[in-house]
């Protein structure tokens, strides 16, 4: 098995007694972990009833998960870790999985006291803790209000004039009374109000009192637990001085009800206030002591829910039950895909050919003697649909394979771009990012992620790795290779944070004249003398633009070449001759010729000739507008006109061959039928291609074939063992086939032009990266640092500004930009030359995978 083509698959059917189906699925998913189940169920009244019962059971499992979520939320609140890595399979569960059991009732009974996990005690502790927290919060709130009241001695020291009113009006209140109309007596109300209600509270108070009440708010907010929501809310203390009898006790109660206002009775006189304050603090201290002890008991109870240690058995009840619920859900859903017969059930699916022996050994050793396994090749009589695509990957190759899988899953046995993406993706990124300094920093960061991979993996399992860090951990090898190729391309450009280095002696003198020894060029990379010259930008534009075109056309030709391997593997020789060869001829005779003359022009010493080097853009334009004619002054080589005429003729002939050859041959082969049946050219060769024509996820569930493929427009009904009716494999008229072929031909011809132009993004982004680095260096390091005249202070400030700009713009933003453009070049320009991506992924039942344990699958 390798990454070039997907692993060989075998179609297996597992016959087990109907009372062992759940156990069989659980053992296969736990011990074997390589079975991709196919839906072979029948639409019968029994299956409808079974579907309804399964839906009801799944909804009960959802309620169980919500209860476990409550336990886990409490554990996270009190800092108790759940050891998900130590899950024991169905440790507290005694009945067989998937059948004849009520898992919800079992879980309810388990949490009634087994292994010290008593849900009733836990709820009691939670209620007590919540009540104590509310009481402590109320006492703290009261203490804050009393402290706030002590700041207004004129409001608390006066004698009461009856019914809470004052007969003598001190200082500020006297002025307030005069302002409010000179009414006798005033009333003071103390309390707290939520911070977000201050505005509404003030407006309501003003309207009801007719502006006869003056509120004063404290400047400091306090965090208090809300009685209703049981969450921390911000509140501020206040006092209201009101004249007259506009603010009644009934209104005060309504404020407390509708605006979440808390009213406190503050005694008159400093002695009484100090006594009240002392009493409140003493009560708070007592309540805190009780709360601390209760929380300690609650934590001890939660630890039993998190892990039970008893003798030789140690497991986590919450983690184990969550795993059991997930497994039960998958088992129940899988049982809906089973074909039920009298006393037996048939489970069908795909297994890697190399793992068939392990499955047979597992069934013989773990299941009853009445169970058996039958194996068929992909072209077997009873096989439904085409095989899934399975690439065995590791932590290194899997990260690059995910780049390809994001675009689409390879068809069964189709050439996999993931193998080549390991090199081509980071290389194209490096072309755009090329800088030794920035590449070294990225490679160092990637190396650090790789070095700490195991540590980060453990943190990820425990849920302690942030989302951003988890994403970078999942792409650590990609980041490392991107940094390496960025550094490598930086050595080609001779660029380290926009500063060239002179490893070898320059071949130019200070006046810009050639001074190379024996006329030898600079041994490696760009001569540093090009930096700082008046034509620096013109030189690098020409170099990077032509290099981008060469790399792009080369990669596209390589992609077309990979298409030939698909044609040969699927015995589609008609497509190889009349589709692949014309495509290769068209590409090589046009854009392949363009990169050939670019390289040829580079290799010629034009200073030793008596004419100027020709303009290649004009050469290509005249090649199509005036075929067979080349001016003597713009001639690159002897016989150029004749060569270009031959290439133009070959390119023009290739287009009608691509358009008409395959449909006409197919019509000729099927002329006796009057219509072109969708068997494709696989009828002319081996039958394998018919059996593995590109399938979709629908194929996995229903067995229906998907159109398209290498020389096969659809599968013949014989290829699925008669499992489908003839009408499922329809026929297309000759005009339909011509339209289909015409679309692909036009798409390829126009794509050659647009895709080649698209590779110029390599030049554009490389130039943008270099120019930004040069601006940051010249303006911040050289300008602010050394040119500002501030000495060490200027150097430090300039370096700090340069580092922040480099990190934010070049190491973060430009990295993302280059990654996105590299993805575009792979998905659109490279892969569309050979990659159909019409398969579906191999998804095995695996209860031991980290994705399943974490709930991701």
């Amino acid at each position: 098995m390798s990454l070039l083509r997907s692993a060989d698959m075998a179609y297996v059917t597992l016959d087990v007694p109907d009372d062992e189906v759940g156990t069989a699925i659980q053992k296969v998913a736990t011990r074997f972990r390589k079975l991709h189940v196919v839906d072979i169920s029948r639409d019968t009244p029994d299956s409808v009833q079974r579907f309804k019962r399964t839906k009801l059971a799944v909804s009960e499992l959802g309620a169980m998960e919500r209860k476990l979520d409550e336990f886990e939320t409490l554990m996270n609140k009190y800092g108790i870790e759940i050891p998900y890595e130590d899950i024991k399979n169905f440790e507290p569960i005694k009945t067989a999985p998937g059948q004849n059991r009520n898992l919800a009732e079992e879980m309810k009974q388990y949490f009634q006291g087994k292994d010290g996990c008593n849900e009733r005690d836990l709820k009691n502790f939670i209620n007590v803790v919540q009540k104590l927290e509310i009481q402590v919060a109320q006492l703290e709130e009261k203490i804050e209000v009393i402290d706030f009241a002590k700041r207004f001695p004129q409001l608390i020291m006066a004698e009461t004039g009856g019914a809470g009113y004052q007969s003598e009006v001190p200082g500020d209140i006297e002025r307030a009374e005069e302002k409010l109309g000179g009414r006798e007596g005033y009333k003071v109300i103390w309390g707290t109000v939520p911070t977000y209600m201050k505005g509404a509270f003030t407006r309501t108070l003003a309207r009801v009192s007719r502006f006869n009440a003056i509120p004063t708010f404290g400047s400091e907010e306090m965090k208090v637990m809300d009685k209703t929501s049981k969450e921390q809310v911000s509140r501020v203390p206040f006092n209201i001085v009101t004249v007259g009898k506009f603010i009644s006790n009934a209104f005060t109660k309504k404020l407390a009800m509708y605006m979440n206002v808390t009213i406190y009775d503050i005694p008159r006189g400093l002695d009484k206030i100090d006594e009240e304050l002392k009493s409140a603090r003493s009560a708070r201290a007592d309540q805190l002591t009780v709360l601390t002890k209760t929380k300690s008991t609650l934590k001890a109870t939660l630890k039993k829910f998190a892990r039970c240690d008893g003798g030789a058995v140690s497991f986590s009840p919450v983690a184990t039950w969550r795993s059991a619920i997930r497994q039960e859900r998958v088992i129940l859903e899988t049982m809906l895909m089973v074909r039920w017969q009298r006393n037996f059930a048939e489970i069908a699916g795909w297994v890697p050919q190399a793992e068939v022996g392990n499955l047979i050994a597992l069934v013989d050793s773990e299941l009853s003697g009445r169970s058996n396994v039958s194996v068929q090749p992909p072209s077997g009589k009873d096989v439904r649909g085409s095989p899934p695509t399975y690439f065995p990957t590791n932590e290194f190759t899997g990260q690059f394979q995910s780049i390809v899988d994001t675009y689409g899953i390879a068809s069964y046995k189709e050439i996999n771009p993931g193998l080549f993406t390991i090199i081509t993706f980071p290389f194209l990124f490096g072309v755009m990012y090329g800088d030794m300094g920035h590449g070294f920093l990225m490679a160092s960061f990637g190396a650090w992620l790789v070095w700490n991979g195991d540590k980060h993996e453990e943190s990820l399992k425990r849920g302690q790795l942030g989302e951003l860090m988890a994403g970078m951990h999942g792409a650590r090898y990609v980041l490392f290779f991107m940094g390496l190729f960025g550094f490598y391309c930086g050595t080609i450009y001779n660029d380290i944070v926009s500063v060239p280095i002179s490893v070898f002696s320059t071949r130019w003198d200070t006046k810009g004249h050639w001074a190379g020894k024996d006329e030898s060029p600079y041994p490696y990379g760009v001569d540093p003398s090009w930096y700082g010259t008046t034509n620096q930008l013109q030189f690098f534009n020409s170099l990077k633009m032509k290099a981008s075109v060469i790399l792009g056309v080369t990669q596209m030709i390589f992609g077309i070449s990979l298409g030939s391997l698909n044609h040969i593997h699927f015995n589609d020789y008609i497509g190889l001759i009349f589709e692949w060869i014309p495509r290769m001829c068209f590409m090589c005779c046009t854009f392949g010729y363009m990169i050939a003359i670019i390289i040829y022009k580079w290799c010629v010493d034009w200073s030793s000739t008596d004419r100027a080097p020709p303009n290649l853009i004009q050469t290509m334009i005249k090649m199509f507008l005036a075929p067979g004619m080349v001016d003597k002054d713009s001639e690159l080589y002897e016989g150029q006109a004749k060569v270009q005429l031959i290439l133009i003729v070959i390119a023009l002939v290739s287009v009608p061959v691509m358009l008409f050859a395959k449909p006409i041959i197919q019509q000729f082969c099927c002329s006796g039928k009057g219509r072109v049946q969708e068997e494709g050219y696989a009828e002319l060769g081996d039958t394998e291609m018919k059996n593995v024509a590109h399938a979709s996820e629908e194929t996995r569930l229903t067995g229906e074939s998907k159109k398209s493929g290498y020389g096969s427009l659809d599968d013949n009904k014989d290829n699925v063992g008669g499992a489908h009716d003839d009408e499922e494999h329809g026929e297309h008229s000759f005009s339909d086939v011509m339209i289909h072929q015409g679309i692909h031909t036009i798409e390829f011809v126009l794509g050659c032009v647009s895709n080649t132009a698209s590779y110029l993004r390599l030049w554009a982004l490389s130039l943008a990266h270099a120019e930004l680095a040069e601006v940051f260096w010249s303006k911040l390091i050289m300008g602010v640092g050394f040119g500002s005249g501030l000495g060490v202070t200027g150097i430090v400030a300039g370096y700090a500004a340069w580092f922040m700009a480099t990190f934010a713009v070049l190491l973060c933003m430009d990295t993302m930009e280059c990654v996105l453009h590299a993805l575009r070049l792979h998905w659109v320009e490279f892969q569309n030359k050979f990659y159909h991506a019409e398969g579906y992924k191999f998804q095995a039942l695996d209860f031991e995978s980290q994705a399943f344990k974490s709930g991701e699958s």
Side-chain angles (χ1 to χ4, degrees):
M1 295 186 292
S2 67
L3 279 179
L4 185 61
R5 296 191 188 276
S6 59
D8 295 330
M9 306 299 293
Y11 188 83
V12 300
T13 54
L14 175 62
D15 296 322
V16 297
D18 56 0
D19 58 346
E20 296 183 10
V21 175
T23 303
I25 296 173
Q26 193 270 335
K27 289 186 179 296
V28 168
T30 304
R31 308 285 179 84
F32 181 62
R33 305 166 55 188
K34 285 291 190 299
L35 175 63
H36 178 105
V37 180
V38 176
D39 187 1
I40 59 172
S41 61
R42 294 174 178 173
D43 191 10
T44 62
D46 290 341
S47 65
V48 174
Q49 293 298 324
R50 187 175 290 107
F51 177 79
K52 292 180 179 179
R53 291 195 299 270
T54 301
K55 283 295 183 182
L56 180 60
V58 169
S59 64
E60 292 178 353
L61 295 176
M64 295 167 61
E65 277 197 306
R66 287 190 291 272
K67 179 174 291 187
L68 294 177
D69 289 338
E70 294 176 2
F71 296 158
E72 192 165 345
T73 301
L74 280 172
M75 294 175 188
N76 293 333
K77 178 180 179 180
Y78 291 102
I80 299 174
E81 291 188 9
I82 301 177
Y84 277 106
E85 64 274 12
D86 297 334
I87 294 176
K88 306 297 182 184
N89 292 319
F90 297 93
E91 183 66 35
I93 304 170
K94 302 305 180 185
T95 55
Q99 196 167 341
N100 299 326
R101 74 174 182 185
N102 189 336
L103 200 62
E105 185 62 28
E106 289 187 48
M107 177 175 156
K108 181 179 179 181
Q109 294 178 3
Y110 178 85
F111 286 115
Q112 286 182 352
K114 187 175 181 181
D115 295 326
C117 300
N118 194 315
E119 183 182 1
R120 181 178 299 175
D121 292 344
L122 182 64
K123 288 183 177 180
N124 290 336
F125 287 133
I126 293 172
N127 292 333
V128 171
V129 167
Q130 289 179 347
K131 290 179 181 179
L132 289 173
E133 287 178 341
I134 292 175
Q135 292 175 6
V136 170
Q138 290 175 342
L139 288 171
E140 290 178 346
E141 186 178 3
K142 184 176 182 179
I143 292 171
E144 289 291 335
V145 173
I146 295 175
D147 286 336
F148 176 69
K150 292 178 68 175
R151 303 175 192 172
F152 302 89
Q154 72 277 15
L155 299 180
I156 60 177
M157 294 181 63
E159 294 294 333
T160 303
Y165 291 88
Q166 310 292 1
S167 58
E168 296 181 5
V169 183
D172 297 336
I173 305 304
E174 183 177 4
R175 288 190 292 273
E177 182 183 356
E178 293 174 358
K179 181 178 180 181
L180 295 173
R183 299 182 180 90
E184 292 186 359
Y186 68 93
K187 184 178 182 180
V188 182
I189 301 174
W190 305 90
T192 61
V193 63
T195 305
Y196 64 90
M197 294 292 293
K198 280 177 59 177
F201 176 71
T202 304
R203 290 190 296 270
T204 303
L205 192 64
R207 292 169 183 169
V208 172
S209 68
R210 302 178 185 177
F211 296 92
N212 287 298
I214 303 175
T216 303
F217 297 97
S219 58
E220 298 180 358
E221 297 181 359
M222 66 182 87
K223 292 289 184 179
V224 181
M225 178 175 289
D226 187 72
K227 300 177 184 179
T228 305
S229 64
K230 304 296 189 299
E231 295 180 356
Q232 296 286 334
V233 295
S234 297
R235 304 178 72 90
V236 291
F238 69 86
N239 65 54
I240 303 173
V241 178
T242 176
V243 178
K245 299 183 179 181
F246 294 101
I247 306 299
S248 63
N249 292 333
F251 175 73
T252 303
K253 293 179 180 179
K254 291 180 180 179
L255 274 182
M257 180 183 301
Y258 295 110
M259 306 191 75
N260 200 10
V261 174
T262 304
I263 304 298
Y264 288 96
D265 292 329
I266 303 299
R268 299 291 177 177
L270 286 178
D271 294 339
K272 293 182 179 180
I273 281 196
D274 290 338
E275 184 179 349
E276 185 76 13
L277 183 60
K278 182 179 179 181
S279 175
R281 288 175 176 172
S282 176
R284 182 185 62 177
D286 294 339
Q287 296 284 16
L288 285 174
T289 301
V290 177
L291 178 61
T292 302
K293 293 181 178 180
T294 307
K295 282 186 176 181
S296 178
T297 307
L298 175 60
K299 287 184 180 180
T301 305
L302 286 174
K303 287 179 180 178
K304 294 179 181 179
F305 280 72
R307 179 189 290 274
C308 285
D309 296 312
V313 179
S314 175
F315 64 94
S316 170
V318 171
T320 303
W321 275 101
R322 188 178 293 279
S323 177
I325 292 171
R326 288 174 182 160
Q327 291 186 25
E328 186 76 3
R329 178 185 286 110
V330 173
I331 290 171
L332 291 173
E333 292 173 351
T334 304
M335 290 172 66
L336 293 177
M337 305 167 68
V338 173
R339 179 182 297 169
W340 296 89
Q341 301 175 358
R342 181 177 298 178
N343 300 328
F344 269 86
E346 182 180 347
I347 305 172
W350 295 98
V351 173
Q353 185 68 48
E355 301 289 341
V356 171
N358 295 333
L359 177 61
I360 296 175
L362 174 69
V363 172
D364 292 341
S365 61
E366 298 289 340
L367 301 181
S368 65
R370 295 182 296 166
S371 302
N372 65 84
V373 178
S374 60
V375 183
Q376 298 184 55
S379 57
K381 179 180 178 182
D382 298 327
V383 173
R384 299 193 64 173
S386 55
T389 301
Y390 172 57
F391 295 107
T393 58
N394 52 37
E395 63 178 13
F396 171 71
T397 57
Q399 296 178 14
F400 292 93
Q401 184 63 43
S402 63
I403 296 175
V404 177
D405 291 345
T406 304
Y407 173 81
I409 306 300
S411 304
Y412 181 64
K413 289 299 180 180
E414 184 181 20
I415 289 289
N416 177 30
L419 178 63
F420 313 103
T421 302
I422 296 175
I423 298 299
T424 57
F425 177 78
F427 175 71
L428 292 183
F429 172 87
V431 172
M432 294 180 279
Y433 199 74
D435 188 291
M436 286 184 279
H438 303 151
F440 174 77
L441 292 175
M442 181 175 292
S444 300
F445 178 66
W448 177 80
L449 289 174
V450 172
W451 182 264
N452 294 278
D454 294 338
K455 179 181 177 181
H456 293 158
E457 192 68 28
E458 292 298 323
S459 300
L460 184 62
K461 291 179 181 179
R462 295 192 297 267
Q464 298 176 351
L465 204 61
E467 183 178 355
L468 178 61
M469 197 64 187
M472 290 188 290
H473 167 71
R476 57 192 182 279
Y477 290 103
V478 179
L479 290 172
F480 178 64
F481 269 55
M482 285 162 47
L484 288 182
F485 279 97
F487 181 87
Y488 165 73
C489 292
T491 62
I492 300 296
Y493 302 151
N494 196 2
D495 189 359
I496 175 170
V497 295
S498 80
V499 179
I501 57 175
S502 183
V503 179
F504 310 99
S505 59
T506 180
R507 299 308 193 258
W508 301 88
D509 59 22
T510 55
K511 297 181 179 180
H513 298 143
W514 178 255
K517 298 179 180 179
D518 301 326
E519 298 185 356
S520 62
Y522 197 74
Y524 180 83
V526 175
D527 193 313
S529 296
W530 282 105
Y531 285 87
T533 59
T534 55
N535 59 343
Q536 173 188 344
L537 185 60
Q538 180 181 358
F539 169 78
F540 278 102
N541 269 339
S542 176
L543 173 65
K544 293 182 178 181
M545 180 179 65
K546 293 174 181 176
S548 300
V549 173
I550 293 174
L551 292 174
V553 174
T554 302
Q555 188 178 33
M556 288 191 292
I557 292 176
F558 176 64
I560 297 174
S561 302
L562 292 176
S564 67
L565 301 180
N566 284 325
H567 288 290
I568 295 173
H569 179 79
F570 296 124
N571 296 312
D572 181 22
Y573 296 106
I574 301 299
L576 178 67
I577 297 172
F578 294 101
E579 190 171 51
W580 179 82
I581 291 180
R583 286 186 175 188
M584 182 62 75
C585 290
F586 182 86
M587 190 69 182
C588 292
C589 292
T590 52
F591 298 100
Y593 175 72
M594 180 179 66
I595 67 172
I597 60 177
I598 290 175
I599 297 175
Y600 178 81
K601 181 181 176 181
W602 279 347
C603 296
V604 174
D605 183 9
W606 295 99
S607 62
S608 61
T609 62
D610 56 352
R611 55 194 177 92
N615 188 305
L616 297 185
I617 296 179
Q618 294 295 327
T619 299
M620 292 299 299
I621 293 175
K622 292 180 180 179
M623 174 181 173
F624 289 94
L625 296 181
M629 298 177 59
V630 177
D631 297 335
K632 193 65 177 178
D633 295 338
S634 60
E635 189 177 57
L636 276 170
Y637 56 89
E638 192 71 26
Q640 178 182 350
K642 186 175 181 180
V643 171
Q644 292 183 169
L645 179 61
I646 295 174
L647 294 177
I648 285 294
V649 171
I650 294 175
L652 293 178
V653 171
S654 298
V655 176
V657 173
M658 282 188 285
L659 178 61
F660 296 107
K662 281 185 65 175
I664 291 176
I665 293 176
Q666 187 178 27
Q667 174 70 7
F668 175 77
C669 294
C670 304
S671 57
K673 302 178 182 179
R675 291 172 68 86
V676 180
Q677 189 174 0
E678 290 190 349
E679 296 178 0
Y681 305 126
E683 181 178 333
L684 303 177
D686 189 50
T687 60
E688 180 184 8
M689 182 55 196
K690 295 189 291 183
N691 299 322
V692 297
H694 306 301
S696 64
E697 183 66 17
E698 183 180 359
T699 307
R700 180 175 70 87
L701 299 177
T702 65
E704 296 179 357
S705 303
K706 186 171 182 176
K707 301 175 183 178
S708 183
Y710 297 102
S712 177
L713 297 176
D714 202 353
D715 291 336
N716 192 346
K717 61 188 179 66
D718 296 335
N719 300 329
V720 289
H724 308 286
D725 296 332
D726 293 349
E727 59 267 23
E728 293 186 15
H729 302 274
E731 298 177 349
H732 282 286
S733 65
F734 179 72
S735 61
D736 293 333
V737 178
M738 279 298 304
I739 292 173
H740 179 270
Q741 190 70 19
I743 291 174
H744 282 282
T745 302
I746 295 172
E747 181 183 15
F748 175 79
V749 173
L750 297 181
C752 289
V753 180
S754 62
N755 295 161
T756 303
S758 183
Y759 274 95
L760 291 175
R761 70 186 68 230
L762 298 174
W763 156 51
L765 268 77
S766 174
L767 184 65
H769 185 96
E771 291 300 310
L772 283 172
E774 183 178 358
V775 168
F776 292 158
W777 181 267
S778 61
K779 298 298 183 182
L780 299 177
I781 296 294
M782 303 306 297
V784 177
F786 294 96
S788 61
L790 298 177
V792 177
T793 303
I795 294 175
V796 172
Y799 175 79
W802 170 82
F803 181 80
M804 289 188 292
T806 299
F807 177 79
V809 178
L810 297 179
L811 294 179
C812 294
M813 294 175 57
D814 195 54
T815 297
M816 290 300 302
E817 185 180 15
C818 293
V819 166
L820 292 176
H821 284 284
L823 286 174
R824 148 78 195 216
L825 292 176
H826 274 77
W827 288 346
V828 179
E829 277 68 36
F830 173 54
Q831 292 180 181
N832 73 349
K833 298 297 183 293
F834 68 98
Y835 188 53
H836 289 253
E838 294 176 345
Y840 63 99
K841 195 171 184 178
F842 177 79
Q843 295 177 334
L845 287 175
D846 187 359
F847 292 162
E848 298 298 318
S849 66
Q850 180 59 33
F852 179 82
K853 292 180 179 180
S854 61
E856 297 177 2
S857 64

